Amino acid sequence: MQPGYILSMAEPTTAGPQFDAEALPHLDALYRVALRLTSDPSQAEDLVQDTMLKAYRAWRQYRPGTNARGWLLTILRNTFINDYRRRKLEPVATDIEAVEPHALYRHVEEVDPEGAFFSQIVDDKVLEAVDALPPDFREVLVLSDMEGMSYGEIAEALHIPVGTVKSRLFRARRQLQTALYQYAVETGIIPARETHHG
Amino acid sequence: MGDSINCREAHARLHDYLKQELTPELAEEVRAHLEKCRPCFKEARFEQSFLVMLATTSRKTSCPGKLREKILTALRAEMERG
């Protein structure tokens, strides 16, 4: 029997089966998000492990049956900011003056109206392009469009308004689409649009 | 109901529609517009390809077995510590 158990019968100190059942299914999502945040597999592994240990220790703060994935991702994200991001000397602030590309669809609707080129780009190149996004944009795109979190869940995890989630997503998607398009043209997946027409 | 939004309004809500982030009423307005507006429908299909590709690419990565084992071992050690 564990010492803590006798002291607090009402509040078990071990997370045990419930932790296993609610937290462990999200290891894949945690690992994927960690990979995108760190852009480094070994750091991603450390980050996921740190996150799980912190989650385990804080398990009593989690309300069973609520959003375990969101709760875990919040811990992962805070851990990343506090313990990992500083090491990378990555620019934290998003450059709001950065050149904003136009909507890609208007540009390619004649050569690839269905956007078939997106799925012809190899996964590694897609992930490279995601990793090249500014950190604030990358984060919302990964959580929303790669992990399927709702805008509300993301706002809560990142402590930002839903409107900020949406505006970052809008710009992240545009930048990513433009980067993927440039890659697709460079590698001949789709032809470059003629510069003169009409 | 849901018969009167224009292309600009539909365009502004397109991603939210595809991500199922709209209220049922707003979603119905966009759906109704896409049904009768071919250019907007085509643009929606293009954006959908992008979103589907991202979700599909993401799902191909999972937590490595070794890491899973390492974490379970660390959790067990933590648990025994009490």
Side-chain angles (χ1 to χ4, degrees), chain A residues 2 5 11-24 52-62 64 71, chain B residues 75 78-80 82:
Chain A
Q2 286 155 37
Y5 189 66
E11 291 182 304
T13 51
T14 60
Q18 198 201 27
F19 181 83
D20 291 357
E22 290 219 47
L24 294 184
M52 289 303 278
L53 285 171
K54 281 187 186 179
Y56 179 83
R57 289 171 198 142
W59 186 241
R60 276 187 291 173
Q61 292 164 28
Y62 171 74
W71 187 75
Chain B
L75 285 171
E78 185 77 13
M79 197 165 166
E80 277 159 21

Side-chain angles (χ1 to χ4, degrees), chain A residues 167-179:
Chain A
S167 66
R168 284 183 190 174
L169 264 178
F170 175 80
R171 301 174 68 193
R173 287 169 181 147
R174 279 205 169 178
Q175 289 193 12
L176 181 61
Q177 287 191 356
T178 302

Side-chain angles (χ1 to χ4, degrees), chain A residues 68-187:
Chain A
R69 183 181 58 167
W71 187 75
L72 291 165
L73 283 168
T74 303
I75 297 174
L76 180 132
R77 198 251 179 185
N78 292 342
T79 306
F80 171 70
I81 290 174
N82 293 331
D83 305 342
Y84 289 74
R85 184 138 83 173
R86 278 182 203 141
R87 289 188 215 161
K88 283 188 72 184
L89 298 174
E90 193 170 35
V92 173
T94 299
D95 181 11
I96 53 166
E97 298 303 320
V99 178
E100 203 56 53
H102 295 290
L104 182 64
Y105 176 68
R106 298 270 169 262
H107 199 70
V108 299
E109 61 181 323
E110 285 162 32
V111 291
D112 186 1
E114 296 188 17
F117 84 88
F118 287 127
S119 50
Q120 289 164 22
I121 298 175
V122 292
D123 295 333
D124 284 353
K125 288 295 165 189
V126 172
L127 297 175
E128 250 176 53
V130 171
D131 290 356
L133 291 171
D136 288 351
F137 290 5
R138 183 172 65 216
E139 186 171 62
V140 291
L141 183 113
V142 167
L143 295 178
S144 169
D145 297 351
M146 302 188 80
E147 293 304 327
M149 284 173 76
S150 73
Y151 298 168
E153 280 181 280
I154 297 170
E156 201 177 312
L158 270 50
H159 309 295
I160 54 177
V162 169
T164 307
V165 174
K166 289 173 72 166
S167 66
R168 284 183 190 174
L169 264 178
F170 175 80
R171 301 174 68 193
R173 287 169 181 147
R174 279 205 169 178
Q175 289 193 12
L176 181 61
Q177 287 191 356
T178 302
L180 294 175
Y181 169 71
Q182 280 165 359
Y183 176 79
V185 168
E186 280 164 20
T187 52

Side-chain angles (χ1 to χ4, degrees), chain A residues 2 13-17 19-20 24 27-28 31-32 35 44-46 48-49 52-53 56-57 103-106 108 112-119 123 126-127 130 141 144-152 166 170 173-174 176-177 180, chain B residues 7 11-22 38-64 66-82:
Chain A
Q2 286 155 37
T13 51
T14 60
F19 181 83
D20 291 357
L24 294 184
L27 272 180
D28 288 340
Y31 179 67
R32 287 192 295 257
L35 265 183
E45 295 203 0
D46 291 346
V48 174
Q49 178 159 345
M52 289 303 278
L53 285 171
Y56 179 83
R57 289 171 198 142
L104 182 64
Y105 176 68
R106 298 270 169 262
V108 299
D112 186 1
E114 296 188 17
F117 84 88
F118 287 127
S119 50
D123 295 333
V126 172
L127 297 175
V130 171
L141 183 113
S144 169
D145 297 351
M146 302 188 80
E147 293 304 327
M149 284 173 76
S150 73
Y151 298 168
K166 289 173 72 166
F170 175 80
R173 287 169 181 147
R174 279 205 169 178
L176 181 61
Q177 287 191 356
L180 294 175
Chain B
C7 292
H11 182 265
R13 294 182 201 157
L14 196 51
H15 278 126
D16 295 349
Y17 173 74
L18 295 172
K19 296 291 293 179
Q20 300 181 318
E21 289 276 353
L22 295 176
R38 186 73 186 158
C40 285
F41 171 78
K42 286 172 75 179
E43 180 161 4
R45 198 173 51 178
F46 179 87
E47 296 299 332
Q48 179 80 326
S49 296
F50 171 70
L51 294 173
V52 166
M53 178 279 292
L54 278 181
T56 307
T57 300
S58 174
R59 276 196 297 273
K60 290 178 191 163
T61 303
S62 52
C63 180
K66 268 188 194 168
L67 175 60
R68 191 177 289 268
E69 278 311 308
K70 212 174 123 190
I71 289 171
L72 290 179
T73 305
L75 285 171
R76 254 176 248 126
E78 185 77 13
M79 197 165 166
E80 277 159 21
R81 234 173 277 140

